[in-house]
């Protein structure tokens, strides 16, 4: 329970007359701490002040967390934030995938640290964050927490504010500032802030649904969350010469170069997501005979194997098997493969002695190809092939930029966005939001189409 007090002083309503409107602020004091509640109308301020005065006359206690009479509070003061956060994490665990579980844990960790009554003195802050992130909000690992982590979590539970803290608008703003900042106090990336806000919104709605809070206390409307852009940075796209040099270097790499070359080539020519490529079987490739006139191949995508870490999957595996992103669990899509990709995949299957039931791209010891391996190989290729200026730029900085390059090339080649969206596994609106700024090379043709309409006719008497 939160602390309460009977030491209450209610002051005169303060009036501030601005250029556009007047603000009426009710002021009161609890154990020497001043509280304020601003209102746009005098009648509302007077009514609120009267409620405070009536509460003091009834001998009612005031909450030191919300500043309001106890009768104004919901059931929030009886629920510890840490206990609620653990309950919410468990509810989310059973309905979300590994990456969402991990993001939920990070958001709840930052929020819990902001809702501690006092900073930790007996424990290192980094250990407190680790205990919260890796054990408290991890349903599968919580019971296996080491003794030192369990000790920290017991301290956190004793020293966390109740859910009534969310009924204090000033405290809500303080928590949101903390969640939106890095450890050094600087502003976190807009995408991270937006993701944390989204997770907290779900948590608050969960609290409302279970009647712990009366309403969602998080601010709504314009400006509540930072704006983010999903558009691709044009500087990250590779031109054919740059792609050829990078893929060529990977192919000449002594350790697994040819295998990784085939992996990267599949992303460059067919545009799948990395988690879709690693999940492919040999049977998912339709190759025609070497003597066939048409040397285009077909790639079937039906499964994704995102790498989320063994701590966040149900079975303790590093990868988590699931359906294609944004589609039904049993949905598939077929993508045409360029003749150059046909040749590369045919050579890869032959060199690796792969059979129809085998994974198309395997690690050195068999099994799933690790993301750390592909990222390390790509990072090394960039360092060896690109100039220092190019290496420092966003040019092909992520393996995912091979997909961005492929989809942009398709759009620039004049392939209809509906078809590109189908091959990419996106909706048309999402596709255009991401790649519209990257479409180029069609300006001359578009100008000719505009000129073909002609100009305004010459009318008599207008000369």
């Amino acid at each position: 329970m939160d602390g309460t007090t009977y030491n209450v002083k209610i002051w005169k309503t303060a009036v501030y007359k601005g250029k556009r409107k007047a603000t009426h602020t009710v002021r009161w004091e609890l154990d020497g701490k001043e509280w304020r509640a601003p209102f746009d109308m005098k009648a509302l301020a007077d009514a609120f002040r009267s409620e405070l005065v009536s509460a003091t006359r009834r001998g009612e206690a005031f909450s030191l967390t919300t500043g309001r009479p106890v009768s104004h509070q919901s059931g929030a003061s009886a629920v510890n934030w840490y206990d609620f956060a653990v309950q919410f994490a468990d509810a989310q665990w059973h309905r979300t995938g590994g990456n969402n579980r991990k993001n939920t844990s990070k958001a709840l960790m930052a929020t819990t640290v902001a809702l501690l009554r006092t900073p930790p003195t007996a424990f290192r802050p980094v250990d407190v964050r680790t205990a919260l992130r890796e054990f408290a909000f991890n349903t599968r690992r919580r019971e296996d927490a080491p003794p030192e982590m369990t000790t920290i979590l017991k301290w956190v539970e004793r020293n966390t504010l109740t859910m009534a803290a969310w009924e204090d608008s000033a405290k809500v703003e303080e928590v949101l500032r903390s969640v939106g900042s890095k450890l050094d106090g600087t502003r976190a990336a807009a995408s991270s802030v937006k993701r944390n806000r989204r997770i907290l919104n779900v948590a608050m709605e969960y609290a409302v649904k279970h009647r712990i809070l009366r309403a969602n206390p998080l601010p709504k409307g314009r400006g509540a969350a930072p704006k983010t852009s999903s558009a691709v940075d044009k500087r990250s796209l590779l031109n054919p010469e740059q792609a050829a040099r990078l893929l060529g270097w990977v192919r000449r790499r002594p350790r697994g170069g040819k295998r990784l070359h085939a992996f990267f080539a599949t992303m460059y020519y067919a545009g799948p997501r990395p988690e879709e490529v690693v999940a492919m079987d040999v049977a998912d490739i339709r190759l025609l005979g070497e003597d066939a006139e048409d040397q285009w191949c077909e790639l079937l995508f039906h499964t994704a194997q995102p790498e989320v870490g063994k701590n966040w999957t149900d079975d303790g595996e590093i990868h988590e098997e699931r359906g294609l992103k944004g589609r039904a669990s049993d949905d598939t899509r077929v993508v045409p493969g360029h003749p150059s990709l046909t040749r590369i995949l045919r050579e890869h299957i032959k060199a690796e002695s792969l059979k129809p039931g085998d994974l198309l791209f395997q690690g050195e010891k068999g099994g799933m190809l690790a993301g750390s391996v592909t990222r390390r190989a790509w990072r090394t290729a960039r360092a060896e092939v690109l100039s220092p200026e190019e290496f420092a730029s966003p040019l092909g900085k992520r393996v995912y930029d091979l997909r961005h390059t492929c989809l942009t090339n398709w759009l620039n080649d004049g392939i209809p966005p509906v078809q590109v969206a189908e091959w990419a596994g996106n909706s048309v609106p999402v596709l255009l939001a991401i790649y519209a700024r990257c479409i180029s090379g069609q300006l001359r043709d578009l100008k000719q189409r505009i000129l073909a309409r002609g100009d305004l006719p010459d009318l008599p008497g207008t000369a």
Side-chain angles (χ1 to χ4, degrees):
M1 294 287 289
D2 287 313
T4 58
T5 183
Y6 295 92
N7 183 14
V8 183
K9 294 180 182 179
I10 301 175
W11 297 338
K12 233 176 123 182
T13 300
V15 181
Y16 171 76
K17 295 183 178 180
K19 292 183 178 180
R20 295 186 177 180
K21 65 177 182 179
T23 300
H24 304 266
T25 302
V26 179
R27 303 175 300 145
W28 69 104
E29 184 182 283
L30 303 179
D31 282 354
K33 179 183 177 181
E34 181 180 347
W35 293 81
R36 292 170 173 257
F39 296 89
D40 292 337
M41 299 177 62
K42 181 177 184 297
L44 294 176
D46 289 344
F48 179 75
R49 186 177 182 279
S50 295
E51 290 182 18
L52 300 184
V53 172
S54 297
T56 58
R57 289 174 178 171
R58 292 194 302 267
E60 188 174 338
F62 279 60
S63 168
L64 291 174
T65 300
T66 66
R68 309 295 173 90
V70 172
S71 61
H72 285 206
Q73 295 180 237
S74 62
S77 60
V79 180
N80 179 280
W81 158 257
Y82 174 81
D83 294 333
F84 167 80
V86 168
Q87 178 186 344
F88 172 71
D90 289 346
Q92 291 295 98
W93 182 278
H94 299 293
R95 58 180 296 272
T96 58
N99 280 323
N100 284 329
R101 294 168 178 174
K102 190 187 303 183
N103 290 331
T104 297
S105 181
K106 290 179 180 178
L108 294 178
M109 173 202 69
T111 306
T112 302
V113 171
L115 288 173
L116 291 175
R117 298 178 188 275
T118 58
T121 54
F123 314 104
R124 296 190 307 162
V126 65
D127 292 334
V128 174
R129 292 193 298 272
T130 300
L132 291 169
R133 184 183 63 249
E134 300 296 329
F135 296 100
F137 306 128
N138 186 311
T139 301
R140 190 171 65 81
R141 302 183 70 206
R142 188 180 306 124
E143 298 301 323
D144 300 326
E148 62 273 16
M149 294 288 105
T150 301
T151 301
I152 292 175
L153 295 181
K154 288 181 179 179
W155 177 86
V156 170
E157 184 176 12
R158 293 193 305 269
N159 287 275
T160 306
L161 295 174
T162 69
M163 292 293 289
W166 294 102
E167 296 177 335
D168 178 4
S169 57
K171 189 63 178 179
V172 172
E173 291 181 5
E174 179 186 331
V175 171
L176 292 180
R177 281 196 302 271
S178 178
V179 172
S181 303
K182 299 179 183 178
L183 294 178
D184 60 3
T186 59
R187 183 76 168 172
S191 57
S192 298
V193 176
K194 193 170 184 178
R195 181 177 61 245
N196 288 341
R197 290 281 189 98
R198 183 171 64 248
I199 292 170
L200 285 181
N201 259 307
V202 176
M204 294 300 103
E205 293 298 335
Y206 183 85
V208 173
K209 180 180 178 181
H210 288 77
R211 300 187 177 184
I212 298 172
L213 294 176
R214 289 195 180 102
N216 187 335
L218 300 185
K220 302 289 192 299
R222 180 174 296 182
K227 291 184 178 181
T228 56
S229 174
S230 59
V232 169
D233 187 342
K234 296 170 71 171
R235 298 173 299 170
S236 67
L237 302 177
L238 299 162
N239 63 38
E241 188 269 337
Q242 292 165 338
R245 285 194 290 131
L246 286 166
L247 292 179
W249 187 92
V250 171
R251 183 176 176 80
R252 295 188 298 271
R253 188 173 184 259
R255 188 172 176 179
K258 292 183 179 180
R259 185 188 310 116
L260 291 171
H261 171 262
F263 173 88
F264 294 134
T266 300
M267 291 195 63
Y268 177 78
Y269 284 112
R273 300 176 178 89
E275 61 266 28
E276 296 170 344
V277 186
V278 298
M280 294 179 70
D281 290 338
V282 175
D284 296 329
I285 307 295
R286 180 173 176 268
L287 297 171
L288 298 178
E290 295 186 44
D291 55 349
E293 182 178 352
D294 182 0
Q295 283 297 306
W296 284 79
C297 64
E298 285 187 347
L299 288 74
L300 174 65
F301 297 104
H302 54 83
T303 307
Q305 289 274 3
E307 191 176 79
V308 299
K310 62 183 180 181
N311 291 340
W312 302 99
T313 57
D314 291 321
D315 55 8
E317 296 293 329
I318 295 176
H319 292 83
E320 178 183 60
E321 182 173 340
R322 67 186 188 195
L324 300 180
K325 185 176 181 179
R327 299 199 174 197
S329 58
D330 57 348
D331 205 354
T332 64
R333 74 174 192 272
V334 178
V335 182
H338 192 280
S340 296
L341 180 59
T342 300
R343 174 179 53 79
I344 293 170
L345 291 178
R346 184 182 287 122
E347 292 176 357
H348 169 71
I349 293 173
K350 184 177 180 180
E352 297 290 321
S353 301
L354 299 177
K355 299 177 181 178
D358 295 338
L359 280 174
L360 183 61
F361 302 107
Q362 303 178 8
E364 289 185 347
K365 299 180 181 179
M368 200 73 64
L369 180 61
S372 58
V373 173
T374 59
R375 290 190 295 270
R376 183 166 58 247
W378 187 251
R379 184 167 57 248
T380 306
R382 290 184 74 248
E384 294 292 333
V385 170
L386 302 180
S387 67
E389 293 76 17
E390 290 174 329
F391 181 79
S393 75
L395 177 65
K397 194 166 187 176
R398 303 182 305 159
V399 174
Y400 207 95
D401 290 328
L402 288 167
R403 169 178 163 87
H404 289 326
T405 298
C406 175
L407 271 55
T408 301
N409 289 340
W410 283 342
L411 291 170
N412 287 334
D413 290 339
I415 299 175
V418 173
Q419 184 61 74
V420 175
E422 171 62 25
W423 290 343
N426 283 336
S427 66
V428 175
V430 169
L431 179 83
L432 295 179
I434 296 175
Y435 299 102
R437 298 179 185 176
C438 301
I439 300 176
S440 62
Q442 303 177 28
L443 185 58
R444 176 177 294 183
D445 178 58
L446 296 176
K447 287 180 178 178
Q448 292 301 319
R449 294 187 189 185
I450 295 173
L451 288 175
R453 268 184 80 85
D455 204 346
L456 294 175
D458 292 330
L459 300 178
T462 59

